[in-house]
Amino acid sequence: MRVSTVLIPAFAALLLSACQTPSGGPPPAPPPSQAAPGVTPNTFRMPSGTGCSGEVERFQAVIDNDFATGHTTKGVHDRVSSEIARARTTCSGGNDAGAIGQIRATKAKFGYPG
């Protein structure tokens, strides 16, 4: 009798512990539109293009993405975008080297790689 009074509760505990295991695996990943804060969504595409117009559009895309993901503030985004707009005007005026120089100077000023 003594063995059965010990084995029955142990066996019952074993059966109940089996009920505590999760089923179905981990939850599915969120859709790209709901990416975690601070993470660039997988839908982001770097603009292509050559010359100063390509440089201008790529840097604008980077600063827009940094703002959207919370890596920069609205104030910094606005200041950088203003400088990018000046480079865009220089580029459309035909001064390719001048516009690229402005973009490089803005990147250096705000800590972006060359």
Side-chain angles (χ1 to χ4, degrees), residues 26-111:
S33 61
Q34 297 175 353
V39 177
T40 298
N42 64 2
T43 56
F44 176 82
R45 298 291 177 258
M46 187 66 81
S48 59
T50 59
C52 60
S53 62
E55 291 292 322
V56 165
E57 296 312 315
R58 282 188 290 276
F59 191 39
Q60 186 68 61
V62 167
I63 196 66
D64 289 347
N65 180 67
D66 281 356
F67 178 63
T69 57
H71 290 277
T72 193
T73 64
K74 179 162 178 33
V76 171
H77 176 268
D78 291 348
R79 290 188 350 239
V80 173
S81 292
S82 175
E83 292 192 23
I84 292 171
R86 282 194 287 280
R88 186 178 285 115
T89 300
T90 301
C91 180
S92 64
N95 187 351
D96 194 81
I100 291 173
Q102 287 174 311
I103 291 294
R104 287 184 180 154
T106 302
K107 285 180 176 181
K109 179 178 176 182
F110 288 92

